[in-house]
């Protein structure tokens, strides 16, 4: 008997419920559409571990203590490094009496590198190091790796390596040749003897803050030199110049 007094007749309640459901559905659709009214520059991750390979093209690289020659083995090793290295910018310097930047850096161009393309024969490791460091500096890198591919090093190169390492450029060495050495003919037609000088090469790498390894038939030498994975040396993030709408 109290029920008529407790109930209140409905006044458009169904319409209000329908409007509420419709508004909620509309807001959900708009949210899922990802509205945006603000833009932000997109980050760009890149390796900051550049590498400059400095390949010795003096006449000594024609020595036969590595079959068929040191030059053939060096070309194959540089090509393997380019193929197996995971990212990071790479440059190539060829040197004898002086050093020169090689471009483009392709396997096809590597086959053309020989002592004959150098203007003057000689063996100035110090100039190779200086040129490689200048290349890194001009590219805007305050840190980087230099890999010298040679069979011996002069004492003056050790002093230069220490100075370059102090600037932030680490120098490692890949030794060419065998312990017993081999013969080659220089540009003057004189037959000479070349031998891998482990002591001078290791001293050069120590002064440059890097590592030393003799050239191997597998990739053990490259792994020892830590040149295959530049990402492990660190990455940096910077703006890519592209902007994207932010999902609000």
């Amino acid at each position: 008997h109290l029920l008529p007094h407790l109930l209140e007749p409905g006044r458009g309640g169904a319409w209000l419920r329908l409007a509420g459901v419709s508004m909620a559905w509309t807001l959900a659709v708009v949210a899922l559409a990802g509205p945006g009214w603000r833009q932000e520059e997109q980050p760009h991750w890149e390796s900051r571990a550049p590498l400059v390979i400095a390949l010795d093209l003096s006449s000594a690289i024609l020595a036969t203590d590595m079959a068929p020659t040191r030059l053939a083995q060096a070309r194959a090793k540089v090509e393997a490094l380019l193929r197996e290295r995971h990212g990071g910018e790479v440059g190539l310097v060829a040197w004898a009496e002086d050093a020169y930047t090689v471009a483009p850096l392709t396997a096809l161009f590597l086959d053309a590198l020989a002592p004959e393309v150098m203007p003057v024969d000689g063996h100035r490791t110090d100039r190779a190091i200086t040129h490689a460091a200048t290349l890194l500096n001009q590219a805007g890198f305050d840190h980087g790796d230099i890999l010298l591919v040679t069979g011996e090093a002069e004492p003056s190169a050790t002093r230069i390596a220490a100075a370059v390492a102090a600037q932030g450029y680490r120098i490692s060495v890949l030794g060419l040749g065998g312990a017993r050495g081999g013969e080659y003919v220089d540009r003057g037609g004189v037959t000479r003897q070349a031998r891998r000088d482990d002591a001078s090469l290791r001293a050069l790498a120590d002064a440059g803050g890097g590592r030393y390894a003799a050239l191997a038939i597998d990739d053990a030498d490259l792994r020892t030199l830590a040149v295959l994975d530049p990402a492990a040396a660190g990455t940096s993030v910077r703006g890519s110049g592209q902007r994207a709408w932010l999902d609000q």
Side-chain angles (χ1 to χ4, degrees):
H1 67 286
L2 296 177
L3 188 59
H5 303 282
L6 297 175
L7 296 178
E8 182 177 354
R11 300 176 181 177
W15 180 85
L16 290 175
R17 286 194 296 273
L18 180 60
V21 170
S22 298
M23 182 174 295
W25 177 259
T26 301
L27 290 174
V29 171
V30 171
L32 290 173
W37 52 86
R38 222 163 32 93
Q39 284 186 324
E40 186 176 75
E41 188 174 17
Q42 295 300 292
H44 172 65
W45 289 93
E46 64 175 11
S47 172
R48 296 296 290 176
L51 171 68
V52 174
I53 305 168
L55 177 62
D56 178 4
L57 286 185
S58 65
S59 294
I61 202 169
L62 298 176
T64 56
D65 50 351
M66 302 187 75
T69 63
R70 291 185 179 187
L71 177 59
Q73 292 282 359
R75 286 175 180 167
K77 184 60 64 173
V78 172
E79 185 176 354
L81 171 55
L82 297 177
R83 182 177 63 251
E84 297 177 18
R85 182 174 165 88
H86 305 296
E89 297 186 37
V90 181
L92 178 62
V93 168
W95 56 279
E97 180 65 19
D98 212 336
Y100 304 90
T101 303
V102 178
L105 186 51
T106 64
L108 179 63
F109 200 78
L110 284 174
D111 292 339
L113 294 179
E116 292 77 19
V117 304
M118 305 304 290
V120 182
D121 196 13
H123 194 273
R124 292 295 300 272
T125 313
D126 55 339
R127 292 181 177 177
I129 296 172
T130 301
H131 189 87
T134 301
L135 200 62
L136 289 168
N137 182 263
Q138 290 177 345
F141 294 106
D142 53 6
H143 289 80
D145 285 309
I146 298 172
L147 177 61
L148 284 166
V149 184
T150 185
E152 59 180 334
E154 314 83 56
S156 60
T158 303
R159 295 191 295 271
I160 295 296
V164 168
Q167 298 175 15
Y169 304 123
R170 182 174 56 184
I171 301 168
S172 295
V173 183
L174 179 63
L176 290 179
R180 295 183 178 181
E183 292 184 346
Y184 69 96
V185 179
D186 65 14
R187 287 194 181 182
V190 179
T191 300
R192 299 184 181 276
Q193 184 80 9
R195 185 179 63 85
R196 190 185 72 222
D197 188 353
D198 291 319
S200 66
L201 297 178
R202 188 171 285 107
L204 179 63
D206 290 342
R211 303 180 182 184
Y212 170 67
L215 190 144
I217 58 174
D218 55 14
D219 64 352
D221 48 1
L222 299 179
R223 296 193 180 280
T224 298
L225 296 170
V227 293
L228 293 180
D229 190 11
T235 57
S236 68
V237 61
R238 64 181 182 184
S240 64
Q242 297 181 349
R243 302 182 69 82
W245 291 103
L246 295 180
D247 185 353
Q248 304 295 335

